[in-house]
Amino acid sequence: MSAHAVAVRNDLAALDTTVTHQLTELLSTARTALHHLGVPTAPGQWDRDHWLTRALSDRLSRSNLLLWRRVSAAADQLAAVTADLERLGLRRVIVPDDLTEGCTT
């Protein structure tokens, strides 16, 4: 292991077990979230050109905070609009492409 990895290992080993349990739970939650997003758990395997990779990298490095706050605000607004449309009885329907090929209407 590298000297940096050994230092991190030693720092983690010095922590109280309640802290390491919390870290383990947070990492498990993050792993599950990445799985649901279809993102590999190893950052080295992330597609650098994908917007999701840029968003995760920005969040982890605390870059472009204003941009992602605006995106989050837009997501909240979209959720509110979706809820309003559902209250009106409108539903989203996704038709497979192979059922619509050749249709002109």
Side-chain angles (χ1 to χ4, degrees):
M1 289 191 335
S2 70
H4 179 67
V6 170
V8 170
R9 181 197 62 193
N10 292 341
D11 288 344
L12 290 171
L15 294 173
D16 185 64
T17 56
T18 58
V19 174
T20 55
H21 287 304
Q22 286 178 321
L23 289 172
T24 301
E25 288 176 16
L26 290 170
L27 289 171
S28 177
T29 300
R31 186 180 301 114
T32 300
L34 289 172
H35 172 74
H36 287 294
L37 291 170
V39 177
T41 55
Q45 297 175 346
W46 293 359
D47 177 3
R48 293 180 187 266
D49 295 326
H50 196 274
W51 73 268
L52 193 53
T53 301
R54 289 193 309 272
L56 289 170
S57 297
D58 284 353
R59 181 65 179 125
L60 292 172
S61 65
R62 296 184 174 158
S63 302
N64 294 322
L65 293 177
L66 179 60
L67 169 68
W68 296 110
R69 283 188 188 130
R70 292 177 69 191
V71 169
S72 294
D76 293 341
Q77 293 170 351
L78 288 172
V81 169
T82 300
D84 289 344
L85 292 172
E86 287 178 358
R87 275 193 291 280
L88 292 172
L90 299 174
R91 299 289 186 263
R92 181 177 181 186
V93 177
I94 299 173
V95 179
D97 289 338
D98 57 345
L99 291 179
T100 58
E101 288 177 7
C103 293
T104 58
T105 57

